[in-house]
Coordinates of all heavy atoms in Angstrom, one line a residue:
R14 N -23.3 5.9 268.0 CA -21.7 5.7 267.6 C -21.5 6.7 266.5 O -22.2 6.9 265.6 CB -21.7 4.3 267.2 CG -20.3 3.7 267.0 CD -20.3 2.4 266.6 NE -18.9 1.8 266.5 CZ -18.8 0.5 266.2 NH1 -19.9 -0.3 266.1 NH2 -17.5 0.0 266.1
L15 N -20.3 7.3 266.5 CA -19.8 8.1 265.5 C -18.5 7.6 264.8 O -17.6 7.2 265.5 CB -19.5 9.5 266.2 CG -18.9 10.5 265.1 CD1 -20.0 11.0 264.1 CD2 -18.6 11.8 266.0
V16 N -18.7 7.5 263.5 CA -17.5 7.0 262.7 C -17.1 8.1 261.6 O -18.0 8.5 260.9 CB -17.9 5.5 262.0 CG1 -16.7 5.1 261.2 CG2 -18.3 4.6 263.1
L17 N -15.8 8.2 261.5 CA -15.3 9.1 260.5 C -14.9 8.2 259.3 O -14.1 7.4 259.5 CB -14.1 9.9 261.0 CG -13.3 10.8 260.0 CD1 -14.3 11.8 259.4 CD2 -12.1 11.4 260.7
G18 N -15.5 8.5 258.2 CA -15.2 7.7 257.0 C -14.1 8.3 256.3 O -14.2 8.6 255.1
S19 N -12.8 8.3 256.9 CA -11.7 8.8 256.3 C -10.5 8.5 257.0 O -10.6 8.4 258.3 CB -11.9 10.4 256.2 OG -10.7 11.0 255.8
T20 N -9.4 8.4 256.4 CA -8.2 8.0 257.0 C -7.3 9.4 257.0 O -6.0 9.3 257.4 CB -7.3 6.9 256.4 OG1 -7.2 7.2 255.0 CG2 -8.2 5.6 256.6
S21 N -7.7 10.5 256.6 CA -7.1 11.7 256.5 C -6.7 12.1 258.0 O -7.6 12.4 258.8 CB -7.9 12.7 255.9 OG -7.5 14.2 256.1
I22 N -5.4 12.4 258.3 CA -5.0 12.9 259.6 C -5.6 14.3 259.8 O -5.8 14.6 261.0 CB -3.5 12.9 259.8 CG1 -2.8 13.8 258.7 CG2 -3.0 11.5 259.7 CD1 -1.4 14.0 259.0
Y23 N -5.8 15.1 258.8 CA -6.4 16.4 258.9 C -7.7 16.3 259.4 O -8.2 17.1 260.3 CB -6.2 17.2 257.6 CG -4.8 17.1 257.1 CD1 -4.6 16.3 255.9 CD2 -3.7 17.6 257.6 CE1 -3.3 16.2 255.3 CE2 -2.4 17.5 257.1 CZ -2.3 16.8 255.9 OH -1.1 16.7 255.4
R24 N -8.6 15.5 258.8 CA -10.0 15.4 259.1 C -10.1 14.9 260.6 O -11.0 15.3 261.3 CB -10.7 14.7 258.1 CG -10.9 15.4 256.9 CD -11.9 14.7 255.8 NE -11.9 15.4 254.5 CZ -11.4 15.1 253.5 NH1 -10.7 13.9 253.4 NH2 -11.3 15.8 252.4
R25 N -9.2 14.0 260.9 CA -9.3 13.3 262.2 C -9.0 14.3 263.3 O -9.7 14.4 264.3 CB -8.2 12.2 262.2 CG -8.2 11.4 263.5 CD -7.1 10.3 263.5 NE -7.1 9.7 264.8 CZ -6.4 8.6 265.1 NH1 -5.7 8.0 264.1 NH2 -6.3 8.1 266.2
E26 N -8.0 15.1 263.0 CA -7.7 16.2 263.9 C -8.7 17.2 264.1 O -9.0 17.7 265.2 CB -6.4 16.9 263.6 CG -5.2 16.0 263.7 CD -3.9 16.5 263.2 OE1 -3.9 17.6 262.5 OE2 -2.8 15.9 263.3
L27 N -9.4 17.6 263.0 CA -10.5 18.6 263.0 C -11.6 18.0 263.8 O -12.2 18.7 264.7 CB -10.9 19.0 261.6 CG -9.9 19.9 260.9 CD1 -10.4 19.9 259.5 CD2 -9.8 21.2 261.6
L28 N -12.0 16.8 263.6 CA -13.3 16.2 264.2 C -12.9 16.0 265.7 O -13.9 16.2 266.6 CB -13.6 14.8 263.6 CG -14.9 14.2 264.2 CD1 -16.0 15.0 264.0 CD2 -15.1 12.8 263.5
A29 N -11.7 15.8 266.1 CA -11.4 15.8 267.6 C -11.7 17.0 268.3 O -11.9 17.0 269.6 CB -9.9 15.3 267.6
R30 N -11.7 18.1 267.6 CA -12.1 19.4 268.2 C -13.4 19.4 268.9 O -13.7 20.1 269.8 CB -12.0 20.6 267.3 CG -10.5 20.8 266.7 CD -10.5 22.0 265.8 NE -9.3 22.2 265.1 CZ -9.1 23.3 264.3 NH1 -10.0 24.2 264.1 NH2 -7.9 23.3 263.7
L31 N -14.4 18.5 268.3 CA -15.7 18.6 268.9 C -15.7 17.7 270.1 O -16.9 17.6 270.8 CB -16.7 18.0 267.8 CG -16.8 18.8 266.6 CD1 -17.9 18.1 265.6 CD2 -17.3 20.2 266.8
R32 N -14.7 17.0 270.5 CA -14.5 16.3 271.8 C -15.6 15.2 271.8 O -16.1 14.9 272.9 CB -14.7 17.2 273.0 CG -13.5 18.2 273.1 CD -13.4 19.1 274.3 NE -12.2 19.8 274.4 CZ -11.1 19.3 275.0 NH1 -11.0 18.2 275.4 NH2 -10.0 20.2 275.0
L33 N -15.9 14.6 270.7 CA -16.8 13.5 270.8 C -16.1 12.2 270.5 O -15.0 12.2 269.7 CB -17.9 13.6 269.6 CG -18.8 14.7 269.7 CD1 -19.6 14.9 268.4 CD2 -19.7 14.5 270.8
P34 N -16.4 11.1 271.2 CA -15.8 9.8 270.8 C -16.1 9.4 269.5 O -17.2 9.4 269.1 CB -16.3 8.9 271.9 CG -17.7 9.5 272.4 CD -17.4 11.0 272.2
F35 N -15.1 8.9 268.7 CA -15.2 8.5 267.4 C -14.3 7.5 267.0 O -13.2 7.3 267.6 CB -15.3 9.7 266.4 CG -14.0 10.3 266.1 CD1 -13.2 10.0 265.0 CD2 -13.7 11.4 267.0 CE1 -12.0 10.6 264.9 CE2 -12.4 12.1 266.7 CZ -11.6 11.6 265.7
E36 N -14.6 6.8 266.0 CA -13.7 5.8 265.3 C -13.4 6.1 263.9 O -14.1 7.1 263.4 CB -14.4 4.5 265.3 CG -14.7 3.9 266.8 CD -15.7 2.8 266.7 OE1 -15.4 1.6 266.3 OE2 -16.9 3.0 267.1
V37 N -12.4 5.6 263.4 CA -12.0 5.9 261.9 C -12.0 4.7 261.1 O -11.6 3.6 261.6 CB -10.5 6.5 261.9 CG1 -10.1 6.8 260.5 CG2 -10.5 7.9 262.8
C38 N -12.6 4.8 260.0 CA -12.7 3.6 259.0 C -12.4 4.1 257.7 O -13.0 5.1 257.3 CB -14.0 3.0 259.1 SG -14.2 1.5 258.1
S39 N -11.6 3.5 256.9 CA -11.3 3.8 255.4 C -12.5 3.4 254.7 O -13.0 2.3 254.7 CB -10.0 3.0 255.0 OG -9.8 3.2 253.7
P40 N -12.9 4.4 253.8 CA -14.1 4.2 253.0 C -14.0 3.3 251.8 O -15.0 2.8 251.2 CB -14.5 5.6 252.5 CG -13.3 6.3 252.6 CD -12.5 5.8 253.7
Q41 N -12.7 3.3 251.2 CA -12.5 2.4 250.0 C -13.4 2.8 248.9 O -14.2 1.9 248.3 CB -12.7 0.9 250.4 CG -11.8 0.4 251.5 CD -10.2 0.5 251.1 OE1 -9.9 0.0 250.0 NE2 -9.6 1.0 252.1
V42 N -13.3 4.0 248.5 CA -14.1 4.5 247.4 C -13.2 5.0 246.2 O -12.2 5.6 246.5 CB -15.0 5.8 247.9 CG1 -15.6 6.5 246.8 CG2 -16.0 5.3 248.8
D43 N -13.6 4.7 245.0 CA -12.9 5.1 243.8 C -13.2 6.6 243.6 O -14.3 7.1 243.5 CB -13.4 4.3 242.6 CG -12.7 4.7 241.3 OD1 -11.8 5.6 241.3 OD2 -13.1 4.1 240.2
E44 N -12.1 7.3 243.7 CA -12.2 8.8 243.6 C -12.1 9.4 242.2 O -11.9 10.7 242.0 CB -11.2 9.5 244.5 CG -11.5 9.1 246.0 CD -10.7 9.9 247.0 OE1 -10.3 10.9 246.7 OE2 -10.5 9.3 248.1
T45 N -12.2 8.5 241.1 CA -12.0 9.0 239.9 C -13.1 9.8 239.4 O -14.2 9.5 239.6 CB -11.9 7.8 238.8 OG1 -10.8 6.9 239.3 CG2 -11.6 8.3 237.4
P46 N -12.9 11.1 238.9 CA -14.0 11.9 238.4 C -14.8 11.3 237.3 O -14.2 10.5 236.4 CB -13.3 13.1 238.0 CG -12.0 13.2 238.5 CD -11.6 11.7 238.7
L47 N -16.0 11.5 237.1 CA -16.9 11.2 236.0 C -16.6 12.0 234.8 O -16.2 13.2 235.0 CB -18.4 11.1 236.5 CG -18.7 10.1 237.6 CD1 -20.2 10.3 237.8 CD2 -18.5 8.7 237.2
P48 N -16.8 11.6 233.6 CA -16.6 12.4 232.5 C -17.4 13.7 232.5 O -18.6 13.7 232.8 CB -17.1 11.6 231.3 CG -16.9 10.2 231.7 CD -17.1 10.2 233.2
G49 N -16.7 14.9 232.5 CA -17.4 16.1 232.5 C -17.9 16.6 233.8 O -18.7 17.5 233.9
E50 N -17.6 15.9 234.9 CA -18.1 16.1 236.2 C -17.5 17.5 236.8 O -16.3 17.6 236.9 CB -17.8 14.9 237.1 CG -18.5 15.0 238.5 CD -18.4 13.8 239.3 OE1 -17.3 13.2 239.2 OE2 -19.3 13.5 240.1
A51 N -18.3 18.4 237.3 CA -17.9 19.6 237.8 C -17.2 19.4 239.1 O -17.5 18.5 239.9 CB -18.9 20.6 237.9
P52 N -16.2 20.1 239.6 CA -15.5 20.0 240.9 C -16.4 19.9 242.0 O -16.3 19.1 242.9 CB -14.6 21.2 240.9 CG -14.3 21.6 239.5 CD -15.6 21.4 238.8
A53 N -17.5 20.8 242.1 CA -18.5 20.8 243.2 C -19.2 19.5 243.3 O -19.5 18.9 244.4 CB -19.3 22.0 243.2
A54 N -19.6 19.1 242.1 CA -20.4 17.8 242.0 C -19.6 16.7 242.4 O -20.1 15.7 243.1 CB -21.0 17.7 240.6
L55 N -18.3 16.6 242.0 CA -17.3 15.6 242.4 C -17.2 15.5 243.9 O -17.3 14.4 244.4 CB -16.0 15.8 241.7 CG -14.8 14.9 242.1 CD1 -15.1 13.4 241.7 CD2 -13.6 15.3 241.4
A56 N -16.9 16.8 244.5 CA -16.7 16.7 245.9 C -18.0 16.2 246.6 O -17.9 15.3 247.6 CB -16.4 18.1 246.4
R57 N -19.2 16.6 246.3 CA -20.4 16.2 246.9 C -20.6 14.7 246.6 O -21.0 13.9 247.6 CB -21.6 16.9 246.4 CG -21.5 18.3 246.8 CD -22.8 19.1 246.2 NE -24.1 18.7 246.8 CZ -24.8 19.4 247.6 NH1 -24.3 20.5 248.1 NH2 -25.9 18.8 248.2
R58 N -20.4 14.2 245.4 CA -20.7 12.8 245.2 C -19.7 11.9 246.1 O -20.0 10.9 246.6 CB -20.4 12.5 243.7 CG -20.6 11.1 243.4 CD -20.4 10.8 242.0 NE -19.2 11.1 241.4 CZ -18.1 10.2 241.3 NH1 -18.2 9.1 241.9 NH2 -17.0 10.7 240.8
L59 N -18.4 12.3 246.1 CA -17.4 11.5 246.8 C -17.7 11.5 248.3 O -17.5 10.5 249.0 CB -16.0 11.9 246.5 CG -15.6 11.7 245.0 CD1 -14.1 12.1 244.8 CD2 -15.7 10.1 244.7
A60 N -18.0 12.7 248.9 CA -18.3 12.8 250.4 C -19.5 11.8 250.7 O -19.4 11.1 251.6 CB -18.7 14.1 250.6
L61 N -20.5 11.8 249.9 CA -21.6 10.9 250.2 C -21.3 9.4 250.0 O -21.7 8.7 250.7 CB -22.9 11.3 249.2 CG -24.1 10.5 249.5 CD1 -24.7 10.7 250.9 CD2 -25.2 11.0 248.6
A62 N -20.5 9.3 248.9 CA -20.1 7.8 248.8 C -19.3 7.3 249.8 O -19.5 6.1 250.2 CB -19.4 7.8 247.4
K63 N -18.4 8.2 250.4 CA -17.5 7.6 251.4 C -18.4 7.4 252.7 O -18.2 6.3 253.4 CB -16.4 8.8 251.8 CG -15.4 8.9 250.7 CD -14.5 10.0 251.0 CE -13.5 10.2 249.9 NZ -12.5 11.3 250.2
A64 N -19.3 8.3 253.0 CA -20.2 8.1 254.1 C -21.0 6.8 253.9 O -21.2 6.0 254.9 CB -21.0 9.3 254.4
Q65 N -21.6 6.6 252.8 CA -22.5 5.4 252.6 C -21.7 4.1 252.6 O -22.1 3.1 253.1 CB -23.1 5.6 251.2 CG -24.3 6.6 251.2 CD -24.9 6.9 249.9 OE1 -24.2 6.8 248.9 NE2 -26.1 7.3 249.9
A66 N -20.4 4.1 252.0 CA -19.6 2.9 252.0 C -19.3 2.5 253.4 O -19.3 1.3 253.8 CB -18.3 3.2 251.3
V67 N -18.9 3.4 254.3 CA -18.6 3.0 255.7 C -19.9 2.7 256.6 O -20.0 1.9 257.4 CB -17.9 4.2 256.5 CG1 -17.6 3.8 258.0 CG2 -16.5 4.3 255.7
A68 N -21.0 3.5 256.2 CA -22.3 3.2 256.9 C -22.8 1.8 256.6 O -23.5 1.2 257.4 CB -23.4 4.2 256.4
A69 N -22.3 1.2 255.5 CA -22.8 -0.1 255.2 C -22.2 -1.1 256.2 O -22.8 -2.2 256.5 CB -22.4 -0.6 253.7
Q70 N -21.1 -0.7 256.7 CA -20.5 -1.6 257.7 C -20.8 -1.4 259.2 O -20.8 -2.2 260.1 CB -18.9 -1.4 257.7 CG -18.2 -1.6 256.4 CD -16.7 -1.4 256.4 OE1 -16.0 -1.9 257.3 NE2 -16.3 -0.5 255.5
F71 N -21.4 -0.1 259.4 CA -21.9 0.3 260.7 C -23.2 1.1 260.5 O -23.3 2.2 260.7 CB -20.8 1.5 261.3 CG -19.4 0.9 261.4 CD1 -18.5 1.2 260.5 CD2 -19.0 0.3 262.5 CE1 -17.2 0.8 260.5 CE2 -17.6 -0.2 262.6 CZ -16.8 0.0 261.6
P72 N -24.2 0.2 260.3 CA -25.5 0.7 260.0 C -26.2 1.6 261.0 O -27.0 2.4 260.7 CB -26.4 -0.5 259.6 CG -25.6 -1.7 260.2 CD -24.2 -1.2 260.3
A73 N -26.0 1.3 262.3 CA -26.5 2.1 263.4 C -25.7 3.3 263.8 O -26.2 4.1 264.6 CB -26.6 1.1 264.6
A74 N -24.5 3.5 263.2 CA -23.8 4.7 263.4 C -24.0 5.8 262.7 O -24.5 5.8 261.6 CB -22.2 4.3 263.5
L75 N -23.6 7.0 263.1 CA -23.6 8.2 262.4 C -22.2 8.3 261.7 O -21.1 8.2 262.4 CB -23.7 9.5 263.3 CG -25.2 9.9 263.6 CD1 -25.1 11.0 264.7 CD2 -26.0 10.3 262.4

Side-chain angles (χ1 to χ4, degrees):
R14 187 178 186 180
L15 180 61
V16 181
L17 175 62
S19 172
T20 54
S21 164
I22 60 171
Y23 312 111
R24 293 192 179 104
R25 179 177 176 175
E26 290 170 355
L27 287 171
L28 185 57
R30 295 184 188 183
L31 297 183
R32 295 183 175 273
L33 294 168
F35 68 94
E36 299 160 74
V37 174
C38 182
S39 175
Q41 301 297 313
V42 168
D43 182 359
E44 300 188 23
T45 305
L47 299 176
E50 190 171 30
L55 173 61
R57 291 179 69 101
R58 178 175 64 83
L59 292 180
L61 182 58
K63 291 175 182 179
Q65 290 175 328
V67 174
Q70 302 178 55
F71 304 94
L75 280 171

